[in-house]
Amino acid sequence: SLFVSEMVKYSREPENPSEACKARGSNLRTHFKHCREIGEAIKGRKLANAKQYLENVLAYKEGVPMRRFTGGCGRHAQGKQQKAPGNCVRWPQKATRHFLDLL
């Protein structure tokens, strides 16, 4: 039997495909929890805005709010800017670089 690989199935299609894009990474050597939180943080942003935000994360000027996976995450003043629950923010470096490469 021959295994035929199919394209990834997305849960929904964008309303305006000309203004949207799809990208994914597989077998990345990063924490999936960090990737999930970065994806939530940049979802709905314009491309230039998302890139600038990720550059600020790498420079520790803005933090990524940890909304779901907050165990052991300390509280920081930058969390107030993001309105993060419990002021929990982090600056994941490797995952942010992978997202910048995808963008």
Side-chain angles (χ1 to χ4, degrees):
S1 70
L2 180 64
F3 177 73
V4 177
S5 172
E6 293 184 11
M7 294 293 289
V8 67
K9 182 177 178 181
Y10 292 92
S11 60
R12 66 186 184 111
E13 292 298 319
E15 296 166 0
N16 191 352
S18 64
E19 294 182 359
C21 68
K22 297 175 185 178
R24 74 174 185 159
S26 59
N27 298 324
L28 300 177
R29 298 286 295 158
T30 60
H31 296 284
F32 80 92
K33 295 181 180 184
H34 290 171
C35 292
R36 185 252 179 217
E37 300 293 358
I38 292 172
E40 283 293 314
I42 66 173
K43 183 165 60 172
R45 294 180 185 235
K46 298 290 185 185
L47 181 61
N49 187 346
K51 283 185 176 181
Q52 182 61 44
Y53 172 72
L54 294 178
E55 292 290 340
N56 287 344
V57 169
L58 289 176
Y60 294 92
K61 294 180 181 176
E62 289 186 72
V64 177
M66 297 290 150
R67 300 186 188 280
R68 178 167 297 168
F69 302 109
T70 58
C73 184
R75 297 179 294 188
H76 301 281
Q78 288 185 7
K80 289 183 176 284
Q81 298 170 355
Q82 304 285 341
K83 294 192 171 89
N87 299 333
C88 294
V89 293
R90 285 189 175 165
W91 301 269
Q93 300 292 303
K94 280 176 65 175
T96 302
R97 284 193 209 99
H98 281 299
F99 267 81
L100 274 173
D101 290 342
L102 283 176
L103 293 179

